[in-house]
Amino acid sequence: FQAEDGIRDLVRSRGLGDVYKRQAEELAESPRGNWGGLIILGNAPISTTGGENYVEGVVGVPYGGNDPEDNSGILRYVRVWYGGRSIGENNEINGITLAGVGRGTTVEYVEVAYNLDDGIEWFGGTVDVKYAAILFCGDDAFDTDEGYQGRGQFLFALVGDEEGNRAYEMDNKTNGDMNSQPRTFVQFHNATLVGSGDPDALADNDQVIRLREGLSGHFMNTIIVAGKEYGVNITDDATLALIGDSLQFSSNNIIYGCPDGQFKADYGFTALDVDPQIMSLDGRESGGLIDPRPALGGPAYENVDELPNDGFFEQVNFKGAFDQINWMQGWSILYEMGRMPGLTDAKDIAKTPAEFKLLGNYPNPFNPSTNLRFELPISSPVSLSVYAMNGSLVYSQSFPMMNAGYNEVRFNATIQNLSSGIYFYQINAANKSFTGKMNLLK
C-alpha cells in the first residue's frame, strides 16, 4: 500500500474488514509506524560477547557468526514505506535492519520513507550498500552499531522537519566497552545529507552527523546542506582518539547552511563552506520540489576525492549522491508524490532540443498518476498549473530550475483528491507556455 487513499480504496472495493479499516485510520492519523519492517539476520561477525545477539522485532532467532562473506541474497529496488511498528517500549522496528549480514549480500536501490524509527540500521556485519534513499523517518536515516565494517556509496537522506533526528548516527560501544572488537569501521562516500532546514524544529536534532562511542570511519565526497545547528558532532574520548587515523573526514567535503558551525567543536577537521548548487532541495515534509542533482560545473564537480580501488567503489567526478542522472527517478515515493522531476536515463543527457516542446502526458487516461513530459532548450525555471473543466485552478507547483533536455513532472491526482474528468495542464518555461489535456479515469 503506497498511500492512505490506496488503503481506503482497497477496503471499499474488497471489503477486507475491520483490520484494514483500522490500518487506514492509523495511516491517516500518522504516516509512520503503520507496518513492520524488513529484518535480515546473517552469520557475519558482530562485536557482542559470544558472537551472537538478538534483534528487536524477532524473538528467539540469533544473528552473528564468523563468516564476513556470508550471503543473505539480493535486495534490489525495494521500497519500505510507512513502517516501523512499535512492539513495545524501546522496541521499534527499523525500516531495514541488517543484523550480522555479510558482504556476499547485495543491497542496492533501496528506499525507506516515513518510518517510525531508523531508516537502515546495521548491527555488526560487513554488508555494503549502494543507491540508498532514506526519507522523513522518525529517528536517524543511517545508523551503525556492534562492530559494523562495511561500505556505502550514493546515499541520500532527507531528515525532515517534523520527526527525524540525524542523517548518520554511528556507534561502536558493545557491552559497555567503547573499544569493543571488531571496531565499527564505516566507509560511506558520495552522500547527500539534508537536515531539516530548521535548527529549532526538534529539541534533539542539532547535528546532521553524530559519531560516537569509539566509532571509526572514512567519509569522502559528502555534501551536507540545509543543515541543522551543526554539521558534524563527535563525542567520547575513545572516538576523539581515532581522529586522523582510523577516523577521517575529507577536507573536500561540503558542509553548507549550518548556522552554528560546520563542526560542533574543533576536531582538527575542515570542510568547504560553499553552496553546492543543488537544483532544488526543499527538505520539509510538506514542502515542494526535490531535485537533488547538482548544477553542472558547480562546486560538486570540484576537488573530488579519489576513492579506494577495492572493487566496490566507483570512481566518479562529483561529490554527493547524484550526478546528472537521478537514480531515484520513477520509483521513489517523492516521484509518486509529484515532488521529484528529472531526467530518466543517460540518452536524455546529450539531447538538447532547439526549442521548448511539450511531449504530452503518459499514461492518458491515468489513475492516479501521469508523467507530464517536455523538452527545454536551456535550463529554466518551470511552473505547472492544472485546471478543471470549469477553469478553476486545482494544482500549482513552481520548480526553481530544470536542466536543458528532456524532463518529466509526475502529477498525482490523489494529493488533491480529484474526481474523474478531463483536466488541462499548463507548463511555463523558457518564456513560453504550453497547454495539454489529460483524462483522469477512476
Side-chain angles (χ1 to χ4, degrees):
F1 301 116
Q2 297 181 1
E4 58 188 86
D5 293 319
I7 297 176
R8 291 195 181 100
D9 291 343
L10 189 61
V11 171
R12 287 195 293 266
S13 63
R14 299 187 183 180
L16 294 182
D18 292 339
V19 172
Y20 290 109
K21 290 179 182 178
R22 287 196 302 272
Q23 199 72 63
E25 292 170 355
E26 291 172 358
L27 185 53
E29 181 179 348
S30 173
R32 300 175 184 84
N34 290 279
W35 309 102
L38 179 60
I39 300 173
I40 301 177
L41 308 180
N43 301 307
I46 64 175
S47 58
T48 303
T49 301
E52 284 188 350
N53 205 353
Y54 297 87
V55 76
E56 295 177 356
V58 177
V59 178
V61 181
Y63 65 89
N66 55 13
D67 183 6
E69 303 298 329
D70 187 40
N71 187 345
S72 294
I74 297 174
L75 196 66
R76 181 182 290 130
Y77 285 108
V78 173
R79 309 183 296 191
V80 181
W81 299 350
Y82 310 120
R85 195 71 172 180
S86 179
I87 300 173
E89 186 176 358
N90 298 320
N91 193 355
E92 297 169 347
I93 299 175
N94 303 302
I96 299 176
T97 298
L98 301 170
V101 178
R103 69 171 64 97
T105 308
T106 297
V107 180
E108 59 185 19
Y109 297 101
V110 295
E111 178 176 270
V112 179
Y114 294 100
N115 199 72
L116 183 66
D117 200 34
D118 297 326
I120 301 177
E121 184 163 6
W122 290 261
F123 292 92
T126 55
V127 63
D128 302 319
V129 60
K130 270 186 179 177
Y131 302 106
I134 311 297
L135 314 172
F136 308 132
C137 290
D139 197 0
D140 305 307
F142 300 96
D143 195 331
T144 64
D145 300 279
E146 288 188 6
Y148 169 64
Q149 298 186 311
R151 301 165 292 188
Q153 190 176 18
F154 311 123
L155 310 177
F156 182 51
L158 285 176
V159 176
D161 59 344
E162 296 182 14
E163 298 289 339
N165 280 332
R166 300 168 185 85
Y168 291 171
E169 180 161 280
M170 298 186 169
D171 306 335
N172 178 68
K173 181 177 68 176
T174 310
N175 302 124
D177 181 6
M178 292 194 186
N179 292 307
S180 54
Q181 302 293 321
R183 185 185 300 277
T184 299
F185 179 64
V186 180
Q187 297 180 78
F188 279 3
H189 308 318
N190 285 102
T192 299
L193 311 176
V194 184
S196 64
D198 179 4
D200 299 320
L202 297 172
D204 186 27
N205 135 332
D206 65 344
Q207 61 248 254
V208 180
I209 292 178
R210 180 162 70 174
L211 310 176
R212 62 180 186 174
E213 298 183 347
L215 176 283
S216 62
H218 293 172
F219 305 93
M220 294 188 285
N221 293 340
T222 296
I223 295 176
I224 296 174
V225 66
K228 306 182 180 182
E229 293 178 7
Y230 302 95
V232 179
N233 183 21
I234 304 174
T235 63
D236 308 312
D237 290 342
T239 315
L240 297 169
L242 301 174
I243 290 176
D245 184 12
S246 60
L247 180 56
Q248 299 178 13
F249 191 88
S250 172
S251 60
N252 291 323
N253 292 334
I254 295 173
I255 303 179
Y256 181 74
C258 296
D260 288 349
Q262 295 177 315
F263 302 94
K264 193 165 185 177
D266 183 4
Y267 309 119
F269 289 143
T270 61
L272 299 175
D273 186 8
V274 295
D275 184 351
Q277 299 179 20
I278 303 298
M279 296 297 292
S280 182
L281 206 53
D282 189 336
R284 298 170 300 160
E285 294 176 31
S286 59
L289 178 72
I290 296 171
D291 185 349
R293 297 170 298 156
L296 280 171
Y301 292 93
E302 300 172 352
N303 302 307
V304 177
D305 289 316
E306 182 177 352
L307 302 181
N309 184 19
D310 58 5
F312 172 78
F313 289 110
E314 298 178 27
Q315 299 297 334
V316 295
N317 67 341
F318 59 92
K319 302 173 190 176
F322 301 89
D323 190 12
Q324 294 303 297
I325 301 296
N326 182 356
W327 47 263
M328 297 173 67
Q329 180 73 18
W331 62 278
S332 169
I333 194 172
L334 298 172
Y335 183 74
E336 296 293 339
M337 295 168 66
R339 294 187 63 182
M340 176 168 279
L343 302 175
T344 54
D345 54 47
K347 72 179 186 297
D348 296 319
I349 294 292
K351 183 172 67 173
T352 302
E355 60 182 2
F356 180 14
K357 182 183 297 185
L358 185 64
L359 302 177
N361 66 292
Y362 179 84
N364 194 24
F366 70 97
N367 181 30
S369 300
T370 185
N371 301 319
L372 313 179
R373 305 174 300 173
F374 53 95
E375 293 180 342
L376 294 175
I378 58 173
S379 296
S380 170
V382 175
S383 65
L384 166 67
S385 301
V386 178
Y387 300 89
M389 284 287 290
N390 63 5
S392 61
L393 179 67
V394 297
Y395 177 79
S396 64
Q397 177 70 64
S398 296
F399 309 109
M401 188 64 65
M402 289 190 182
N403 281 341
Y406 176 86
N407 288 272
E408 288 185 358
V409 174
R410 182 83 157 177
F411 175 70
N412 190 330
T414 61
I415 299 175
Q416 283 71 39
N417 195 28
L418 299 180
S419 57
S420 295
I422 294 176
Y423 294 86
F424 295 94
Y425 60 91
Q426 184 178 73
I427 296 178
N428 297 281
N431 298 318
K432 291 188 177 181
S433 177
F434 286 94
T435 301
K437 182 172 68 174
M438 56 187 177
N439 186 8
L440 174 60
L441 185 60
K442 293 186 175 180

PDB file of all heavy atoms in Angstrom, residues 92-105:
ATOM      1  N   GLU A  92      11.156  -0.632  18.646  1.00  0.00           N
ATOM      2  CA  GLU A  92      10.531  -0.161  17.417  1.00  0.00           C
ATOM      3  C   GLU A  92      11.344  -0.666  16.233  1.00  0.00           C
ATOM      4  O   GLU A  92      12.566  -0.593  16.228  1.00  0.00           O
ATOM      5  CB  GLU A  92      10.461   1.366  17.410  1.00  0.00           C
ATOM      6  CG  GLU A  92       9.595   1.929  18.519  1.00  0.00           C
ATOM      7  CD  GLU A  92       9.737   3.429  18.664  1.00  0.00           C
ATOM      8  OE1 GLU A  92      10.680   3.998  18.073  1.00  0.00           O
ATOM      9  OE2 GLU A  92       8.906   4.023  19.369  1.00  0.00           O
ATOM     10  N   ILE A  93      10.663  -1.151  15.227  1.00  0.00           N
ATOM     11  CA  ILE A  93      11.336  -1.788  14.103  1.00  0.00           C
ATOM     12  C   ILE A  93      11.860  -0.731  13.135  1.00  0.00           C
ATOM     13  O   ILE A  93      11.161   0.231  12.799  1.00  0.00           O
ATOM     14  CB  ILE A  93      10.364  -2.738  13.382  1.00  0.00           C
ATOM     15  CG1 ILE A  93       9.893  -3.829  14.335  1.00  0.00           C
ATOM     16  CG2 ILE A  93      11.024  -3.354  12.160  1.00  0.00           C
ATOM     17  CD1 ILE A  93       8.834  -4.728  13.744  1.00  0.00           C
ATOM     18  N   ASN A  94      13.093  -0.910  12.680  1.00  0.00           N
ATOM     19  CA  ASN A  94      13.656  -0.044  11.653  1.00  0.00           C
ATOM     20  C   ASN A  94      13.021  -0.364  10.299  1.00  0.00           C
ATOM     21  O   ASN A  94      12.404  -1.408  10.111  1.00  0.00           O
ATOM     22  CB  ASN A  94      15.167  -0.255  11.559  1.00  0.00           C
ATOM     23  CG  ASN A  94      15.859  -0.016  12.883  1.00  0.00           C
ATOM     24  OD1 ASN A  94      15.764   1.054  13.470  1.00  0.00           O
ATOM     25  ND2 ASN A  94      16.556  -1.026  13.381  1.00  0.00           N
ATOM     26  N   GLY A  95      13.217   0.562   9.354  1.00  0.00           N
ATOM     27  CA  GLY A  95      12.729   0.281   8.011  1.00  0.00           C
ATOM     28  C   GLY A  95      13.398  -0.955   7.450  1.00  0.00           C
ATOM     29  O   GLY A  95      12.744  -1.915   7.033  1.00  0.00           O
ATOM     30  N   ILE A  96      14.727  -0.950   7.428  1.00  0.00           N
ATOM     31  CA  ILE A  96      15.521  -2.119   7.030  1.00  0.00           C
ATOM     32  C   ILE A  96      16.557  -2.368   8.111  1.00  0.00           C
ATOM     33  O   ILE A  96      17.360  -1.485   8.418  1.00  0.00           O
ATOM     34  CB  ILE A  96      16.210  -1.917   5.666  1.00  0.00           C
ATOM     35  CG1 ILE A  96      15.167  -1.695   4.565  1.00  0.00           C
ATOM     36  CG2 ILE A  96      17.084  -3.115   5.331  1.00  0.00           C
ATOM     37  CD1 ILE A  96      15.774  -1.394   3.204  1.00  0.00           C
ATOM     38  N   THR A  97      16.527  -3.538   8.707  1.00  0.00           N
ATOM     39  CA  THR A  97      17.506  -3.943   9.711  1.00  0.00           C
ATOM     40  C   THR A  97      18.422  -4.994   9.108  1.00  0.00           C
ATOM     41  O   THR A  97      17.959  -6.027   8.615  1.00  0.00           O
ATOM     42  CB  THR A  97      16.810  -4.521  10.960  1.00  0.00           C
ATOM     43  OG1 THR A  97      15.983  -3.501  11.546  1.00  0.00           O
ATOM     44  CG2 THR A  97      17.825  -4.985  11.979  1.00  0.00           C
ATOM     45  N   LEU A  98      19.725  -4.734   9.150  1.00  0.00           N
ATOM     46  CA  LEU A  98      20.733  -5.653   8.629  1.00  0.00           C
ATOM     47  C   LEU A  98      21.589  -6.085   9.811  1.00  0.00           C
ATOM     48  O   LEU A  98      22.482  -5.363  10.246  1.00  0.00           O
ATOM     49  CB  LEU A  98      21.568  -4.968   7.547  1.00  0.00           C
ATOM     50  CG  LEU A  98      20.765  -4.443   6.347  1.00  0.00           C
ATOM     51  CD1 LEU A  98      21.642  -3.578   5.458  1.00  0.00           C
ATOM     52  CD2 LEU A  98      20.160  -5.597   5.550  1.00  0.00           C
ATOM     53  N   ALA A  99      21.308  -7.248  10.347  1.00  0.00           N
ATOM     54  CA  ALA A  99      21.938  -7.721  11.580  1.00  0.00           C
ATOM     55  C   ALA A  99      22.871  -8.883  11.273  1.00  0.00           C
ATOM     56  O   ALA A  99      22.432  -9.960  10.877  1.00  0.00           O
ATOM     57  CB  ALA A  99      20.868  -8.151  12.581  1.00  0.00           C
ATOM     58  N   GLY A 100      24.171  -8.636  11.422  1.00  0.00           N
ATOM     59  CA  GLY A 100      25.140  -9.676  11.137  1.00  0.00           C
ATOM     60  C   GLY A 100      25.129 -10.127   9.688  1.00  0.00           C
ATOM     61  O   GLY A 100      25.479 -11.265   9.375  1.00  0.00           O
ATOM     62  N   VAL A 101      24.768  -9.244   8.780  1.00  0.00           N
ATOM     63  CA  VAL A 101      24.659  -9.595   7.356  1.00  0.00           C
ATOM     64  C   VAL A 101      26.021  -9.436   6.687  1.00  0.00           C
ATOM     65  O   VAL A 101      26.726  -8.447   6.899  1.00  0.00           O
ATOM     66  CB  VAL A 101      23.598  -8.730   6.663  1.00  0.00           C
ATOM     67  CG1 VAL A 101      23.514  -9.062   5.173  1.00  0.00           C
ATOM     68  CG2 VAL A 101      22.235  -8.931   7.321  1.00  0.00           C
ATOM     69  N   GLY A 102      26.400 -10.402   5.856  1.00  0.00           N
ATOM     70  CA  GLY A 102      27.718 -10.435   5.249  1.00  0.00           C
ATOM     71  C   GLY A 102      27.805  -9.721   3.917  1.00  0.00           C
ATOM     72  O   GLY A 102      26.797  -9.426   3.266  1.00  0.00           O
ATOM     73  N   ARG A 103      29.047  -9.476   3.486  1.00  0.00           N
ATOM     74  CA  ARG A 103      29.265  -8.715   2.261  1.00  0.00           C
ATOM     75  C   ARG A 103      28.971  -9.515   0.998  1.00  0.00           C
ATOM     76  O   ARG A 103      28.994  -8.959  -0.101  1.00  0.00           O
ATOM     77  CB  ARG A 103      30.689  -8.166   2.232  1.00  0.00           C
ATOM     78  CG  ARG A 103      31.793  -9.178   2.058  1.00  0.00           C
ATOM     79  CD  ARG A 103      33.141  -8.499   1.834  1.00  0.00           C
ATOM     80  NE  ARG A 103      33.546  -7.725   3.000  1.00  0.00           N
ATOM     81  CZ  ARG A 103      34.382  -8.177   3.933  1.00  0.00           C
ATOM     82  NH1 ARG A 103      34.876  -9.408   3.855  1.00  0.00           N
ATOM     83  NH2 ARG A 103      34.720  -7.431   4.954  1.00  0.00           N
ATOM     84  N   GLY A 104      28.665 -10.785   1.121  1.00  0.00           N
ATOM     85  CA  GLY A 104      28.177 -11.530  -0.042  1.00  0.00           C
ATOM     86  C   GLY A 104      26.772 -11.132  -0.436  1.00  0.00           C
ATOM     87  O   GLY A 104      26.294 -11.496  -1.521  1.00  0.00           O
ATOM     88  N   THR A 105      26.099 -10.389   0.409  1.00  0.00           N
ATOM     89  CA  THR A 105      24.736  -9.919   0.168  1.00  0.00           C
ATOM     90  C   THR A 105      24.758  -8.654  -0.685  1.00  0.00           C
ATOM     91  O   THR A 105      25.624  -7.795  -0.509  1.00  0.00           O
ATOM     92  CB  THR A 105      24.037  -9.614   1.508  1.00  0.00           C
ATOM     93  OG1 THR A 105      24.160 -10.747   2.362  1.00  0.00           O
ATOM     94  CG2 THR A 105      22.576  -9.285   1.304  1.00  0.00           C
TER      95      THR A 105
END
